[in-house]
Amino acid sequence: MVEKIITLENVSLVEFLGPDNQNIRQLAAAFPGSKIISRGNEIKIQGQMPVIARINEILSSLIEHYHQYGAITDRNVSEYIAAADDEQQERIIATVSPADVIVFGAKGGVIKAKTPNQQKLVDTVMKHDLTFALGPAGTGKTYVSVALAVRALKNKEVKKIIISRPVVEAGESLGFLPGDMKEKVDPYLRPIYDALEDMIPAEKLKFYQENKIIEIAPLAYMRGRTLNNAFVLLDEAQNTTPSQLKMFLTRMGPTAKVMVNGDRSQIDLPTKQKSGLLQALDILRDVRGIGFVEMTAEDVVRHRLVKEIVYAYDRYDVQTQRDQATRPTRDLYRPHPDSRPESDFPTNGSTSLPVNREQQL
């Protein structure tokens, strides 16, 4: 760990550091792997050399801003942090092949396809306005899709991102949830927020959401809208009903890019309810202009055991189908254990019903 000390000269500490050092606290929060300590007119930075260099650049910019305007606000701090992130991304671009990169993360990391099918998904989305991405858990469907949406927004290919999910509980009832509508549905949309936070700095993401540039909403909110000039993602589509998915697909405007993600093996709808995704695959399979990408267990990028779990469940499903197919027909027509034995019925060729002896008495 490296340490650097910056001395503030001709600066009002109250104006520069903010009330209760909030400006320094905000800067420290943007670099959680480092340590920033303010004592008197000195600011001590501890961390890895590349991070210290970025913090030093931001502090130098803030000092220049203070001498020019006489004050520093939390908004100024956010803007200079975001500017430093953009410069860092430009430096990374110079050392990484652009063809391999989907987007650069909030901390400067490279987000790219990790498997052949993930790359196929990236290529298919580039060529089609509507793409279905199918596959088991852990194959990166959601993460890659969000990265493609962020890239389209950064490249000004679209003006907004709209991401939706059906609000369906996974096999359990959570009962009444307190709070307003946003607080009720946010837990269902948490994976989307996690992906976005990896790719967009916190302050910029907050700005996008407040100005409706990035919109995350339950599927029910899509009815009646025309989704135009936007990158639109429907996640967990296996939990839509046929009418819901048809409603969503018919929202597509002339300049929209739409993705539909789903996992056939994790349908959480009531037993008798048909999945809208399965129906849509049957109906739309031969429609020209729609892309389909099938992910497999080979594309799992989570813990290595996730891949083995997917394989195990696949083997179980195949064996169950074989057992059902080879079960003797007579097993399907076994009499109910409460049914009457044949000896209770006449054997003299008569078709009359058994006598109710209680009525005879």
Side-chain angles (χ1 to χ4, degrees), residues 88-124:
Q88 176 71 3
Q89 287 187 6
E90 291 175 2
R91 285 193 288 267
I92 294 174
I93 290 171
T95 61
V96 180
S97 173
D100 297 334
V101 179
I102 301 176
V103 72
F104 292 93
K107 302 300 181 183
V110 175
I111 297 172
K112 61 181 181 179
K114 295 183 178 179
T115 70
N117 277 333
Q118 286 189 2
Q119 186 59 52
K120 181 180 178 182
L121 178 58
V122 173
D123 297 338
T124 301

Short mmCIF file of all heavy atoms in Angstrom, two decimals, residues 88-124:
data_model
loop_
_atom_site.label_atom_id
_atom_site.label_comp_id
_atom_site.label_asym_id
_atom_site.label_seq_id
_atom_site.Cartn_x
_atom_site.Cartn_y
_atom_site.Cartn_z
N GLN A 88 -10.39 7.38 -17.36
CA GLN A 88 -9.82 6.06 -17.11
C GLN A 88 -10.27 5.08 -18.18
O GLN A 88 -9.50 4.24 -18.65
CB GLN A 88 -10.26 5.57 -15.72
CG GLN A 88 -9.82 4.15 -15.36
CD GLN A 88 -8.33 4.07 -15.10
OE1 GLN A 88 -7.63 5.07 -15.12
NE2 GLN A 88 -7.86 2.86 -14.86
N GLN A 89 -11.54 5.14 -18.57
CA GLN A 89 -12.04 4.25 -19.61
C GLN A 89 -11.32 4.49 -20.92
O GLN A 89 -10.99 3.55 -21.65
CB GLN A 89 -13.55 4.46 -19.78
CG GLN A 89 -14.37 3.90 -18.63
CD GLN A 89 -15.85 3.96 -18.91
OE1 GLN A 89 -16.29 4.31 -20.01
NE2 GLN A 89 -16.65 3.61 -17.92
N GLU A 90 -11.07 5.75 -21.25
CA GLU A 90 -10.36 6.05 -22.49
C GLU A 90 -8.95 5.46 -22.48
O GLU A 90 -8.45 4.97 -23.50
CB GLU A 90 -10.30 7.56 -22.69
CG GLU A 90 -11.67 8.17 -23.01
CD GLU A 90 -11.60 9.68 -23.08
OE1 GLU A 90 -10.49 10.23 -22.92
OE2 GLU A 90 -12.65 10.31 -23.28
N ARG A 91 -8.30 5.48 -21.32
CA ARG A 91 -6.97 4.89 -21.22
C ARG A 91 -7.02 3.37 -21.41
O ARG A 91 -6.16 2.77 -22.03
CB ARG A 91 -6.34 5.24 -19.87
CG ARG A 91 -5.87 6.68 -19.77
CD ARG A 91 -4.97 6.88 -18.56
NE ARG A 91 -5.73 6.84 -17.33
CZ ARG A 91 -6.23 7.91 -16.73
NH1 ARG A 91 -6.07 9.12 -17.26
NH2 ARG A 91 -6.91 7.80 -15.60
N ILE A 92 -8.07 2.74 -20.87
CA ILE A 92 -8.21 1.29 -21.01
C ILE A 92 -8.50 0.92 -22.46
O ILE A 92 -8.00 -0.06 -22.99
CB ILE A 92 -9.33 0.77 -20.10
CG1 ILE A 92 -8.94 0.96 -18.64
CG2 ILE A 92 -9.61 -0.70 -20.36
CD1 ILE A 92 -10.03 0.63 -17.65
N ILE A 93 -9.32 1.73 -23.12
CA ILE A 93 -9.65 1.46 -24.52
C ILE A 93 -8.39 1.39 -25.37
O ILE A 93 -8.29 0.60 -26.32
CB ILE A 93 -10.61 2.56 -25.06
CG1 ILE A 93 -11.98 2.40 -24.40
CG2 ILE A 93 -10.73 2.50 -26.56
CD1 ILE A 93 -12.93 3.53 -24.70
N ALA A 94 -7.40 2.22 -25.04
CA ALA A 94 -6.17 2.25 -25.83
C ALA A 94 -5.38 0.95 -25.72
O ALA A 94 -4.56 0.65 -26.58
CB ALA A 94 -5.29 3.42 -25.37
N THR A 95 -5.63 0.15 -24.64
CA THR A 95 -4.86 -1.07 -24.44
C THR A 95 -5.67 -2.35 -24.69
O THR A 95 -5.13 -3.44 -24.61
CB THR A 95 -4.31 -1.11 -23.01
OG1 THR A 95 -5.41 -1.09 -22.08
CG2 THR A 95 -3.40 0.08 -22.74
N VAL A 96 -6.97 -2.22 -24.94
CA VAL A 96 -7.83 -3.38 -25.15
C VAL A 96 -8.47 -3.29 -26.53
O VAL A 96 -8.87 -2.23 -26.97
CB VAL A 96 -8.94 -3.44 -24.07
CG1 VAL A 96 -9.83 -4.64 -24.30
CG2 VAL A 96 -8.31 -3.49 -22.68
N SER A 97 -8.58 -4.44 -27.19
CA SER A 97 -9.21 -4.46 -28.51
C SER A 97 -10.68 -4.09 -28.39
O SER A 97 -11.44 -4.77 -27.69
CB SER A 97 -9.09 -5.87 -29.13
OG SER A 97 -9.83 -5.94 -30.32
N PRO A 98 -11.13 -3.03 -29.05
CA PRO A 98 -12.54 -2.60 -28.95
C PRO A 98 -13.51 -3.69 -29.37
O PRO A 98 -14.64 -3.74 -28.88
CB PRO A 98 -12.61 -1.39 -29.87
CG PRO A 98 -11.20 -0.90 -29.99
CD PRO A 98 -10.35 -2.13 -29.90
N ALA A 99 -13.09 -4.56 -30.29
CA ALA A 99 -13.98 -5.60 -30.78
C ALA A 99 -14.37 -6.59 -29.69
O ALA A 99 -15.41 -7.24 -29.76
CB ALA A 99 -13.33 -6.34 -31.94
N ASP A 100 -13.52 -6.72 -28.65
CA ASP A 100 -13.78 -7.68 -27.59
C ASP A 100 -14.63 -7.11 -26.47
O ASP A 100 -15.11 -7.84 -25.61
CB ASP A 100 -12.46 -8.17 -26.99
CG ASP A 100 -11.61 -8.92 -28.00
OD1 ASP A 100 -12.22 -9.48 -28.94
OD2 ASP A 100 -10.39 -8.94 -27.86
N VAL A 101 -14.82 -5.81 -26.45
CA VAL A 101 -15.44 -5.14 -25.31
C VAL A 101 -16.90 -4.80 -25.62
O VAL A 101 -17.23 -4.26 -26.67
CB VAL A 101 -14.67 -3.85 -24.96
CG1 VAL A 101 -15.35 -3.15 -23.78
CG2 VAL A 101 -13.23 -4.16 -24.63
N ILE A 102 -17.79 -5.15 -24.66
CA ILE A 102 -19.18 -4.70 -24.76
C ILE A 102 -19.27 -3.29 -24.18
O ILE A 102 -19.76 -2.36 -24.81
CB ILE A 102 -20.13 -5.65 -24.01
CG1 ILE A 102 -20.04 -7.08 -24.59
CG2 ILE A 102 -21.57 -5.14 -24.11
CD1 ILE A 102 -20.88 -8.09 -23.83
N VAL A 103 -18.78 -3.15 -22.95
CA VAL A 103 -18.80 -1.85 -22.27
C VAL A 103 -17.76 -1.90 -21.16
O VAL A 103 -17.31 -2.98 -20.76
CB VAL A 103 -20.22 -1.57 -21.70
CG1 VAL A 103 -20.52 -2.44 -20.51
CG2 VAL A 103 -20.41 -0.09 -21.37
N PHE A 104 -17.35 -0.73 -20.68
CA PHE A 104 -16.42 -0.65 -19.57
C PHE A 104 -17.19 -0.40 -18.28
O PHE A 104 -18.10 0.42 -18.23
CB PHE A 104 -15.39 0.45 -19.81
CG PHE A 104 -14.46 0.14 -20.94
CD1 PHE A 104 -14.73 0.56 -22.22
CD2 PHE A 104 -13.31 -0.60 -20.72
CE1 PHE A 104 -13.88 0.27 -23.27
CE2 PHE A 104 -12.45 -0.90 -21.75
CZ PHE A 104 -12.73 -0.47 -23.04
N GLY A 105 -16.81 -1.12 -17.22
CA GLY A 105 -17.52 -1.05 -15.97
C GLY A 105 -17.29 0.25 -15.22
O GLY A 105 -16.44 1.06 -15.57
N ALA A 106 -18.05 0.42 -14.12
CA ALA A 106 -17.99 1.65 -13.32
C ALA A 106 -16.61 1.84 -12.69
O ALA A 106 -16.19 2.96 -12.44
CB ALA A 106 -19.06 1.62 -12.24
N LYS A 107 -15.90 0.76 -12.43
CA LYS A 107 -14.57 0.84 -11.83
C LYS A 107 -13.46 0.66 -12.86
O LYS A 107 -12.32 0.39 -12.50
CB LYS A 107 -14.43 -0.21 -10.73
CG LYS A 107 -15.47 -0.11 -9.62
CD LYS A 107 -15.40 1.23 -8.91
CE LYS A 107 -16.43 1.32 -7.79
NZ LYS A 107 -16.44 2.64 -7.15
N GLY A 108 -13.80 0.77 -14.13
CA GLY A 108 -12.79 0.67 -15.17
C GLY A 108 -12.56 -0.73 -15.71
O GLY A 108 -11.73 -0.92 -16.58
N GLY A 109 -13.28 -1.72 -15.18
CA GLY A 109 -13.11 -3.09 -15.66
C GLY A 109 -13.71 -3.28 -17.05
O GLY A 109 -14.57 -2.52 -17.49
N VAL A 110 -13.26 -4.32 -17.72
CA VAL A 110 -13.74 -4.63 -19.06
C VAL A 110 -14.86 -5.66 -18.97
O VAL A 110 -14.71 -6.71 -18.34
CB VAL A 110 -12.59 -5.19 -19.94
CG1 VAL A 110 -13.13 -5.62 -21.29
CG2 VAL A 110 -11.51 -4.15 -20.10
N ILE A 111 -16.01 -5.37 -19.58
CA ILE A 111 -17.12 -6.31 -19.63
C ILE A 111 -17.23 -6.81 -21.07
O ILE A 111 -17.46 -6.02 -21.99
CB ILE A 111 -18.43 -5.63 -19.18
CG1 ILE A 111 -18.30 -5.19 -17.72
CG2 ILE A 111 -19.62 -6.57 -19.35
CD1 ILE A 111 -19.45 -4.35 -17.22
N LYS A 112 -17.06 -8.10 -21.24
CA LYS A 112 -17.08 -8.69 -22.58
C LYS A 112 -17.67 -10.08 -22.52
O LYS A 112 -17.85 -10.66 -21.43
CB LYS A 112 -15.66 -8.73 -23.16
CG LYS A 112 -14.69 -9.57 -22.35
CD LYS A 112 -13.30 -9.54 -22.97
CE LYS A 112 -12.32 -10.39 -22.18
NZ LYS A 112 -10.97 -10.40 -22.79
N ALA A 113 -17.97 -10.65 -23.68
CA ALA A 113 -18.50 -12.01 -23.74
C ALA A 113 -17.44 -13.00 -23.27
O ALA A 113 -16.27 -12.89 -23.64
CB ALA A 113 -18.93 -12.33 -25.18
N LYS A 114 -17.85 -13.96 -22.44
CA LYS A 114 -16.90 -14.92 -21.88
C LYS A 114 -17.02 -16.31 -22.49
O LYS A 114 -16.17 -17.17 -22.24
CB LYS A 114 -17.10 -15.01 -20.36
CG LYS A 114 -16.77 -13.72 -19.62
CD LYS A 114 -16.91 -13.89 -18.12
CE LYS A 114 -16.52 -12.62 -17.39
NZ LYS A 114 -16.67 -12.76 -15.92
N THR A 115 -18.08 -16.57 -23.25
CA THR A 115 -18.26 -17.87 -23.88
C THR A 115 -18.69 -17.67 -25.33
O THR A 115 -19.16 -16.59 -25.70
CB THR A 115 -19.34 -18.70 -23.15
OG1 THR A 115 -20.64 -18.10 -23.39
CG2 THR A 115 -19.08 -18.76 -21.64
N PRO A 116 -18.57 -18.71 -26.16
CA PRO A 116 -19.00 -18.57 -27.57
C PRO A 116 -20.47 -18.19 -27.71
O PRO A 116 -20.82 -17.38 -28.58
CB PRO A 116 -18.73 -19.96 -28.15
CG PRO A 116 -17.60 -20.50 -27.31
CD PRO A 116 -17.86 -19.98 -25.93
N ASN A 117 -21.34 -18.75 -26.86
CA ASN A 117 -22.75 -18.41 -26.98
C ASN A 117 -23.06 -17.00 -26.50
O ASN A 117 -23.98 -16.35 -27.00
CB ASN A 117 -23.61 -19.42 -26.20
CG ASN A 117 -23.90 -20.67 -27.01
OD1 ASN A 117 -23.92 -20.63 -28.23
ND2 ASN A 117 -24.09 -21.79 -26.33
N GLN A 118 -22.30 -16.52 -25.51
CA GLN A 118 -22.46 -15.11 -25.13
C GLN A 118 -22.06 -14.20 -26.29
O GLN A 118 -22.71 -13.19 -26.54
CB GLN A 118 -21.64 -14.81 -23.88
CG GLN A 118 -22.22 -15.36 -22.59
CD GLN A 118 -21.48 -14.86 -21.37
OE1 GLN A 118 -20.54 -14.06 -21.45
NE2 GLN A 118 -21.90 -15.32 -20.19
N GLN A 119 -20.98 -14.55 -26.99
CA GLN A 119 -20.58 -13.77 -28.16
C GLN A 119 -21.63 -13.86 -29.26
O GLN A 119 -21.91 -12.87 -29.95
CB GLN A 119 -19.22 -14.24 -28.68
CG GLN A 119 -18.66 -13.39 -29.80
CD GLN A 119 -18.46 -11.94 -29.41
OE1 GLN A 119 -17.83 -11.64 -28.39
NE2 GLN A 119 -19.02 -11.02 -30.19
N LYS A 120 -22.22 -15.04 -29.41
CA LYS A 120 -23.30 -15.21 -30.39
C LYS A 120 -24.48 -14.32 -30.04
O LYS A 120 -25.11 -13.72 -30.92
CB LYS A 120 -23.74 -16.68 -30.43
CG LYS A 120 -24.84 -16.96 -31.44
CD LYS A 120 -25.24 -18.43 -31.43
CE LYS A 120 -26.38 -18.69 -32.42
NZ LYS A 120 -26.81 -20.10 -32.38
N LEU A 121 -24.77 -14.20 -28.73
CA LEU A 121 -25.85 -13.32 -28.30
C LEU A 121 -25.55 -11.87 -28.66
O LEU A 121 -26.41 -11.15 -29.16
CB LEU A 121 -26.06 -13.46 -26.79
CG LEU A 121 -27.12 -12.56 -26.15
CD1 LEU A 121 -28.49 -12.79 -26.79
CD2 LEU A 121 -27.20 -12.79 -24.65
N VAL A 122 -24.31 -11.44 -28.42
CA VAL A 122 -23.91 -10.07 -28.77
C VAL A 122 -24.09 -9.83 -30.27
O VAL A 122 -24.65 -8.81 -30.69
CB VAL A 122 -22.45 -9.81 -28.36
CG1 VAL A 122 -21.98 -8.44 -28.86
CG2 VAL A 122 -22.30 -9.88 -26.84
N ASP A 123 -23.62 -10.77 -31.09
CA ASP A 123 -23.71 -10.62 -32.54
C ASP A 123 -25.16 -10.63 -33.01
O ASP A 123 -25.53 -9.87 -33.92
CB ASP A 123 -22.94 -11.75 -33.23
CG ASP A 123 -21.45 -11.71 -32.92
OD1 ASP A 123 -20.95 -10.63 -32.54
OD2 ASP A 123 -20.78 -12.76 -33.03
N THR A 124 -25.99 -11.48 -32.39
CA THR A 124 -27.40 -11.58 -32.81
C THR A 124 -28.15 -10.29 -32.50
O THR A 124 -28.96 -9.81 -33.31
CB THR A 124 -28.08 -12.76 -32.09
OG1 THR A 124 -27.38 -13.97 -32.41
CG2 THR A 124 -29.53 -12.90 -32.52
#
